[in-house]
Structures are given as C-alpha cells and as structure tokens.
Amino acid sequence: MEFSKSFNIQALVKTIKEELLSDNNDPYSFIAPSAYDTAWLAMVPDMSEPCQPMFKNCLDWVLSNQNVEGFWGEYDGHGMPTIECLPATIACMIALKRWNAGETIIDKGMAFIEANAEKLIGEIYDSNCPRWFAIVFPAMVEMAQINGLEIIFPDRIKRVVMSMFYKREQILEREELVDRYHYPPLLSYLEALPALYNFDQEDALKHLHADGSLFQSPSATASAFMATGNKDCLNYLQTLAQKCTHGVPQTYPMDEELLKLCMVNQLQRLGLAEHFNQEIEELLQQVYRYMNYMNQESWPKGTNSMATQLYKDSLAFCLLRTHGFRVSPCMFCWFLLEEEVQDQIESNHEYFSGAVLNVYRATDLMFPGDHELEEARSFSRKLLEKTISMGNNDQHPVPFPSFHSVIKHELRFPWMARLDHLEHRMWMEEKNSSGLWMGKTSFHRLSCLHNDKLKQLAVKNYEFRRTTYKSELEELTRWSKSWGLSDMGFGREKTAYCYFAVAASTSLPQDSEIRMMVAKSAIVITVADDFYDVEGSLDDLEKITDAVQRWDAKGLSGHSKTIFDALDSLVNELARKYFRQHGTDITNSLRDIWSETFASWFTEAKWSKSGFLPAAEEYLETGMTSIASHTLVLPASCFLSPSIPDYKLNPAQYESITRLLMVIPRLLNDIQGYKKEQKEGKTNFVLLHSKENPEADIEDSIAYAREILDRKKKELLEHALMDGFNDFSKPCRHLHLSCVKVFHMFFDSSNRYDSNTEMLQDIQKAFYIPVEVGAPKPLLPHSGSKQRYPTVVASYHFDQRYKNRIIRLAANSVVSHPISGNPYMKMPMAPKLKFCFM
C-alpha cells in the first residue's frame, strides 16, 4: 500500500517536472490567462474588415473557456469562483455579443450572474468594495446594458450595486488620471472609464510605454487603440496575441524571473520542495545570476510596476537567503530610501498589501547588522496591522477578504514558531493559495491546470506523510510503554507531544530513523527532567547522576533504574547503528553528552533544594545544558548525510551554532515560565537578572532577556543558512534550526509543552485529520425560470447630474470612447432599460 502511494507520488512528480519545470516550457503557461483582458482583445475590430475581430484567437478562447458553471475566470483554492469573475464574465459576454457569437453561452453567463452575484458581491461588500472593483464592475454593467445585455440583479442587492456606482463617481471626481497618490493610476483603467469622462487624447498617449502599451495592461491598451488607432498600441497588441495564443495575461510583458520565483515559492509552501531540489536550485541560480546580486545596490529595476517590483525583490531575497545565497537587504529595502515612495505605498494600501506582506516575510530572515530589515519590519508590520484594523474603512479596503486570514496568520505566529508540516497543510487549505501577486483587476493566479496538479501532488504527499507519522507514533508509544516511561506515576506523559514536535518540524518522510531517535531521546529527557524537578529526593538524584557518570546501574532501583535502563538501551541502539554505517564506535561520546545533561539537572536541583541563587551568567551556562536541545540534535546529526565528525560530540568542541541552539531554548523557556518557577520556589534567568538589578522591575528583566534572545536568534539563523561559520553540513545546520523552531513553538505565547490540551488540535491535524482541499462546490441554485428581477442601473441617492449621465448613456446605441469621443462599440439599439432612482 505504501509502495503504491509512493509510486503514484513519483509519477505525478515526473509529470509536473515535464509540464511545468522543463526548460522547453513557456513560463507564461504557469499563469492563468485573464478572461477580462482576453475579452477586451476579442472586442478589437480588424482594421481592414471592421465586421471581423482582429484577434480571432482571443474570441475563440472566450468561446471555448467558459467554466461549466457559466462564468469566465479562475477558481479560488476552495474550488469556488472568485470576485474577479463577475467583471470578467460580463466582458466576455460583451465580446461575444459584439460579434453575434455564442448566444447559448451568453445565456449561461447571464444565468450565473443572476444566481451568484448576491453571494460574490456580498463577500467584498462586507469588507468594503475594493477600488479596482468599484471602477471596473460598474463600467462592465453599463457596457452590457448599452450593448443589449440586460444584467439582472436581485432586489436584495440593488443598493449594494448602486453604492458601487456611487463609489466610482467619488473616485472619478477625486482622482487625477495619473497622480502620485493613487496606484495603479486611473488611466490604467481606461477601458472602464465612463464615456462622458472627458480628457485630452494626447495627454493620455504620452503615458504609453516604449513597448506601445498603456501601463502594460492589455485591456487598457486595447481600449486606447480602438480610440486612437495608435500604431504603437497595435504593435503591442499584435505581439501579445502572437505570444499568448491561449488567452492573454492581465500584464504583458511579465517578468520571467518573477515567474520562476513564484514557481519555487509555490513548491515550497505546498511542501513539495523535497521532490524538486535540483530544479529549485537551478531556478534560483538563474535568478541570482540574472539579477546580478553581486552588485545589488545598483541593479536595474526593469519595467515592473512599483508594487510588482517590491513583491519580486522581497520574494527573491527571502528565497535566495533561505537557500544560502548571500544577498543584501538593499535589494528590496530601496523603498525605505524615499519618503515619497513610502507615502505612495501607504496611500495605496489596498493594492500594495500583497507586496507589503512579502516584505514582512522577508524580514523574518534577519541576520546581525541587518538594520534595514529592522526598519522594513516596523514599516510593513504597521501597515499590515492597519490593513486588518481598517478593513471596513472606505479609505483602506482589502482586495480580497480571504487575504485577511493570511495576514493575521503572519502577524500572529512568528516564523520561528511555525512547523513545516502544519504550514504546508494551511497553505493547501488556504482559499487564496492560487493567488500570486496583485494585478490591475485581480491577483495573477496559477493556471488552473498547474494549480490542480500541484494541489493533487501536495495532498498525496501530505497524506503519505500523515500515514507515515501516524504509524511511527504508534510504534513510539509502544516503545515508551515497554520501557515503563509512560507509566511513571509522576510528571508529564508527552510521547505524542515529543513525536509531533519532531515530525512536524521536518518535511522528509524518509528520515524515519532520525525522527524516532530524536523522539525517543525527548521522551527520556522529559521523564528524567521531571524526576529531577518534582519526584526524586536529593539522595535519589545524586545516585542516578553518579550512575550516568559511571554508566553503571549498580545501586539504582525504582524510577531511577527505569530511566537509566531506557537511556542505556537508547544509547546502545544509536551506537550500534552508527558503527554499522561508519565503522566507528561513538558509545563514549554519546554517554558524555548525556552525562553532561544529567549533571546540569543535578546542579539545578541542588540550587533549588538548598535555596542557593547563582549569578545570572552562571545559571545561564548551566541552564543552556539542562534544556537538553543539543542532546537531541548532535546524536541525530551523526545519521544525516553527510554526517558530522564524531569529535563534534565532545562538549569541549561544540560549534558556535550548537551553543546558540542551547541558549535560545533556555531563554525562551525562562521568559515564558518565570511566574511558574517563582511560585514553585525555583529560579531562572529572568528572576536572577531582576534580583541583580533591584532598580529594574520584572518587565525590564524580560526585555533584557528578549534583547539577548533576539540577538542570538539572528546569529543562529545566519549560522544555519550561510556557509563558512562552521564545519557542519547544510542538513545538520538545518536540523539545529528546526530544533530551535520547535522550542519557539512550545514557548511562543505560553508554555504549550506543559499544557495537556493546547497542542491536541495541532496533533490531530498532523496525524489524524485528512487534509481538506476544496473541490468545486455547488453554486447557488438557478431555477431556470423566466422570472426577472427589476433591472438595476441606479438605486441610490444620487444627484440629478449623475442620474442624467446614466440615462444619457442608456439612451445611446453607440458607446463613445472617453478619450476621442469616437464610437468603438457599434451595436443594435439596446432594449428599453428600467431605472429605479430612490
């Protein structure tokens, strides 16, 4: 059964490598086409035969790519249509109506809107209508009405729909066509500006890019060409249509290095990196070379929009630094150099939210001396908190409500406190997991084909791990019970906690041997530590400490004998395995590490029972050993490939990264547990610092400990990710980092390890509950009846000037272009429209 699952996974991996990661594949195929922009190209008439479309392949795409439910556009991560599909569907229906094509699928699209507009519009209205939607959606409704498509909205949402018309009116009155306060500029939505919104044609054309595009937007450029006949616009559109024969993207050209980065990021976030290590490394090498990061402060910014460039630069920094490339924060912290740029980001809160979130994620990878990252973290966190708090404010709407949950997760849980296995699951189940970076009218999204295959592989991979982990936990539970460790009658029974922490922090199911040895060690440590803390008398503790120093159980009985026997068996098991693999006996080295650990517990027990208060530094030197993190990691590192040299197990030879591994969990524990230990008559670093500094209160001591902790975490991160600081291999360094993340998870906001309930839900998700990735769900039922709601074009308290504008538009059978005033949508006379002004 397990072989069959593994075979299926490898077959899917092979398919994805061929279809997605091959050098022969077009990077544009990674991104879903924009139904909205493709529809606009489909509307463009041929210059020599105005009764025919210029880009027939775009019209064919519209005809062939209506989803079964009746809409055009992409599904979200739960298999549901996104809010972007409303304007996209209307635009596609207009394009079909323009050429008298697809009458049946137009009817199907109309039925979809009638049945689902209330639900989709309600989702964004609850968190306030985004600026892009307020500009584009009313325009598409007006164009549809003018072209004989009667968009039906239920009575229940009349006011909601017309509030969007009113918001658009406010935007048009408030904003200039291009200014430094609004982004993307109003002119980039040229195709959606009302016919009576007059401005100078030459003024608009001066904003054409060198490639002939208007802000690299196919829809806006198509509109500009139909209005002006500009040859540069035509050349751009023809190049675009030739390049993208299966639907056009919403941005063209796209940054191919950004597409590669998005591929890598998606593979990692779905937990699939282990299957594509070589491909990921090659893609990052390409990006690294192309962007010339060896001279990062002067590399060119290219032609991306500011938001896209910031998204790309922060993502590149994050991925490259994670994979050990030496990169400077300057590559994405350029936005800190100009106050005007920061002002623009803050003013266009909605549009920049995805890029700012990436900036915040990048600052998780802070090394000592990265002062720019401190400033970037403060700026981005402040802005993200504002996004959450002002989601219902007119000035700061959120582009997609589901994006709220992603931001909240990033702000609430430090990266260092997250475990890979659960993070992968969360991303699989995230509604907006297919969204990449924000475009003009929607997220750039993974193509449906690639997204489905990646999700399918991710689920199979996760379920394979989950089954493996569940089986290993059962084996570990039997081991713990067989040695009597789960029935000691005192302290904490943490078999499931220990295994969960080990398994969920690593994503490699083939490392079963390492997981089991670390988990067994953690169980022994937990039981022995509790024996020293709460059960054993000083005489008992002295005996077991001496027995471990001699490695001889003579004189032990009861709990002491149970602990020693389990430890002796574990050490012998590891030594035998290592000898079989390497021909070297490491028994004495393993015993030395455990002896050191038991001695530190005994020292702390003597302090506690005698009431002795050591100096804070003396305590920390002992405490970083008694936390026993190195006792978990170093023996396990012997079984990695490549293995660490056996002499690295010698306490006198500990590398700096190992000493950092030892001190960080101790500080995390002491910051979180000082109240409990004070109540029990024990001491820790926070309490000792407070006693040594009577002028300071306890909060000052906590702040002092946090300052040391933050500095040590930055050092460890640099030593774990970068070569040159020690002789350890990358897998060994990453195991050090994984262990620190486990302790961070335990002691992030409370002592979760001591709680009997806090981690139960996480354990259930990790081992027992199947992953829930949304499949397309039934949409709201559509009865198919001919009953019609009153058509809504206006249902709000507008002034007479705006009422007259809408009425004039509806009365015309020809839409005038906002720049030239020339007709560009010749259609039969629209049917009489019904208006309801209130």
Side-chain angles (χ1 to χ4, degrees), residues 542-596:
E542 185 173 8
K543 286 181 180 178
I544 190 173
T545 304
D546 181 61
V548 172
Q549 303 303 313
R550 294 182 290 107
W551 211 267
D552 185 348
K554 185 177 180 180
L556 296 181
S557 62
H559 296 320
S560 297
K561 182 72 161 56
T562 299
I563 293 170
F564 183 88
D565 287 347
L567 174 61
D568 184 47
S569 172
L570 175 60
V571 167
N572 289 335
E573 177 189 353
L574 300 186
R576 284 195 301 271
K577 287 181 179 179
Y578 189 84
F579 186 82
R580 285 197 300 268
Q581 293 177 12
H582 301 280
T584 303
D585 185 2
I586 61 170
T587 302
N588 289 333
S589 296
L590 295 176
R591 289 175 176 178
D592 288 344
I593 290 179
W594 282 100
S595 297
E596 178 194 34

Side-chain angles (χ1 to χ4, degrees), residues 13 64 134 190 548 665 779:
V13 166
S64 304
L190 175 64
V548 172
L779 300 175

Side-chain angles (χ1 to χ4, degrees), residues 358-473:
N358 251 19
V359 168
Y360 186 76
R361 286 170 175 157
T363 64
D364 287 329
L365 303 174
M366 202 179 301
F367 293 168
D370 283 342
H371 304 300
E372 304 99 320
L373 294 189
E374 297 276 6
E375 187 178 351
R377 189 170 186 83
S378 176
F379 176 83
S380 57
R381 185 176 184 93
K382 177 182 174 183
L383 219 53
L384 293 172
E385 287 173 345
K386 188 185 293 186
T387 298
I388 297 299
S389 65
M390 303 185 72
N392 292 321
N393 185 293
D394 285 346
Q395 300 303 314
H396 296 278
V398 178
F400 298 92
S402 66
F403 201 46
H404 255 171
S405 64
V406 178
I407 296 174
K408 287 178 179 177
H409 179 76
E410 292 289 337
L411 296 180
R412 166 63 185 85
F413 300 102
W415 174 75
M416 273 279 201
R418 299 184 216 152
L419 303 185
D420 289 349
H421 187 55
L422 293 182
E423 284 294 293
H424 298 155
R425 178 185 181 120
M426 189 207 75
W427 192 241
M428 279 180 253
E429 295 179 340
E430 166 56 40
K431 184 176 181 180
N432 199 42
S433 61
S434 63
L436 301 176
W437 73 94
M438 190 63 189
K440 186 181 83 173
T441 58
S442 65
F443 278 108
H444 293 82
R445 293 185 180 276
L446 285 171
S447 72
C448 186
L449 175 64
H450 292 318
N451 189 49
D452 287 349
K453 287 186 178 178
L454 287 174
K455 280 286 186 74
Q456 182 184 358
L457 175 58
V459 171
K460 287 180 180 293
N461 200 53
Y462 188 91
E463 290 302 308
F464 178 67
R465 287 183 195 155
R466 190 176 63 80
T467 304
T468 302
Y469 295 163
K470 181 181 175 183
S471 175
E472 289 178 2
L473 177 56

Side-chain angles (χ1 to χ4, degrees), residues 32 41 120 137 139 164 180 253 337 344 352 382 401 457 474 487-488 510-511 564 586 604 716 755:
L41 262 72
L120 292 170
F137 179 69
M164 296 177 186
R180 64 189 182 94
L337 301 178
Q344 190 170 11
F352 278 88
K382 177 182 174 183
L457 175 58
E474 291 170 354
D487 302 308
M488 297 292 281
Q510 60 265 37
D511 281 353
F564 183 88
I586 61 170
E604 290 183 342
L716 178 124
S755 169

Side-chain angles (χ1 to χ4, degrees), residues 177-188:
L177 279 176
V178 179
D179 61 38
R180 64 189 182 94
Y181 302 107
H182 301 98
Y183 203 85
L186 199 55
L187 186 58
S188 67

Side-chain angles (χ1 to χ4, degrees), residues 780-795:
L780 297 179
H782 177 62
S783 64
S785 68
K786 297 300 182 182
Q787 179 182 358
R788 295 285 187 176
Y789 291 99
T791 304
V792 179
V793 176
S795 176

